[in-house]
């Protein structure tokens, strides 16, 4: 399993809201994408 699925399973086991898990991983993915795009542009 990767970190995303581990976090989802952990949240489900603890009966927490998984929206925060999705938001955090989406934020990381978008930040990485933008940083990579900026590096390639420069």
């Amino acid at each position: 399993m990767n970190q995303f699925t581990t976090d989802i399973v952990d949240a489900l086991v603890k009966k927490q809201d998984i929206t925060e898990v999705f938001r955090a991983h989406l934020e990381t993915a978008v930040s990485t994408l933008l940083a990579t795009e900026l590096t390639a542009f420069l």
Side-chain angles (χ1 to χ4, degrees), residues 6-35:
T6 304
D7 290 347
I8 292 288
V9 170
D10 188 45
L12 290 173
V13 167
K14 293 178 181 177
K15 298 190 187 297
Q16 297 173 336
D17 187 19
I18 60 171
T19 2
E20 181 59 29
V21 176
F22 280 111
R23 189 205 60 74
H25 282 276
L26 181 61
E27 179 182 347
T28 302
V30 170
S31 293
T32 303
L33 175 69
L34 290 174

Side-chain angles (χ1 to χ4, degrees), residues 37-42:
E37 185 178 11
L38 180 61
T39 301
F41 177 75
L42 295 176

